[in-house]
């Protein structure tokens, strides 16, 4: 069994996502076939459901297409945002909460999963649980996901601080992310 967990979540351009998510997956599939491995568990992303949203989403959907066409016994896992020890992608949100202010996108909902919960699922799948050619969309069990305000409150609870959340326009979030 091969667990393909690696991927690129941030890249400066489409080529970076192609190299990390598509070509990387093609290379893992080729290595699995060359080694005679029949079972391939691919960790994709919930974002693959919406390939038109971004280069990241598109690259994850394209990687999934390579897996489904591989001829291997595959299982797909689509986690949302993953958080836990060593995480750098969600760290800034926890840092903001520790300061008492959380800036989040306007409107919408989100979903998360803790790395330990995702790991338990992957271990079970690698041991033979689950259905072949199945796609599992995992989350933390919060029905309908989190509103951004509720997620900000949960971040505050996690760091022991009352937080104020702000619905921040996309342009402001992009500028803040770049440090401008």
């Amino acid at each position: 069994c091969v667990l393909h967990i690696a991927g690129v979540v941030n890249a400066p351009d489409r080529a970076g996502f192609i190299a990390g998510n598509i070509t990387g997956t093609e290379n893992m599939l080729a290595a699995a076939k060359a080694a005679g491995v029949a079972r391939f568990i691919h960790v994709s992303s919930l974002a693959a459901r919406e390939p038109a949203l971004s280069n990241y989403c598109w690259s994850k959907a394209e990687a999934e297409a390579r897996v489904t066409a591989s001829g291997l016994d595959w299982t797909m896992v689509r986690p949302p945002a993953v958080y836990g020890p060593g995480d750098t992608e969600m760290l800034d949100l926890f840092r903001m909460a520790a300061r008492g202010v959380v800036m989040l996108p306007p409107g919408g909902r989100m979903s998360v999963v803790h790395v330990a919960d995702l790991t338990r699922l992957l271990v079970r799948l690698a041991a033979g649980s689950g259905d072949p050619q199945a796609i599992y969309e995992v989350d933390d069990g919060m029905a309908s996901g989190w509103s951004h305000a509720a997620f900000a409150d949960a971040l505050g609870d996690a760091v022991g601080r009352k937080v104020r959340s702000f619905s921040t326009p996309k342009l402001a979030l992009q500028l803040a992310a770049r440090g401008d």
Side-chain angles (χ1 to χ4, degrees):
C1 177
V2 168
L3 282 165
H4 179 39
I5 302 170
V8 172
V9 295
N10 288 308
D13 54 27
R14 192 174 184 110
F17 289 111
I18 291 170
N21 294 332
I22 300 170
T23 305
T25 299
E26 290 170 341
N27 291 342
M28 289 297 296
L29 290 165
K33 287 178 183 179
V37 173
R39 187 167 170 80
F40 194 89
I41 300 170
H42 179 69
V43 178
S44 180
S45 170
L46 200 55
R49 292 191 304 184
E50 298 292 335
L53 286 180
S54 69
N55 285 331
Y56 170 72
C57 300
W58 169 81
S59 70
K60 294 307 273 186
E62 287 295 314
E64 285 188 4
R66 301 324 194 267
V67 172
T68 60
S70 70
L72 294 173
D73 175 13
W74 57 265
T75 301
M76 206 85 63
V77 178
R78 288 180 174 167
V82 179
Y83 70 97
D87 169 56
T88 58
E89 296 302 316
M90 299 278 283
L91 183 58
D92 286 337
L93 292 174
F94 282 96
R95 286 180 175 155
M96 281 191 277
R99 292 184 189 107
V101 176
V102 178
M103 296 186 318
L104 291 166
R109 302 190 72 74
M110 62 180 291
S111 181
V112 295
V113 67
H114 191 273
V115 68
D117 295 328
L118 178 59
T119 301
R120 277 191 289 281
L121 171 64
L122 295 175
V123 168
R124 284 196 308 268
L125 291 172
S129 293
D131 298 321
Q133 279 66 40
I135 298 175
Y136 294 95
E137 294 183 346
V138 299
D139 59 42
D140 65 355
M142 176 66 111
S144 301
W146 294 85
S147 71
H148 291 156
F151 188 71
D153 290 342
L155 289 168
D157 291 345
V159 299
R161 178 119 191 217
K162 178 79 174 145
V163 300
R164 296 194 65 211
S165 61
F166 295 94
S167 178
T168 311
K170 183 177 179 179
L171 179 60
L173 287 172
Q174 289 171 330
L175 291 173
R178 289 193 349 229
D180 291 349

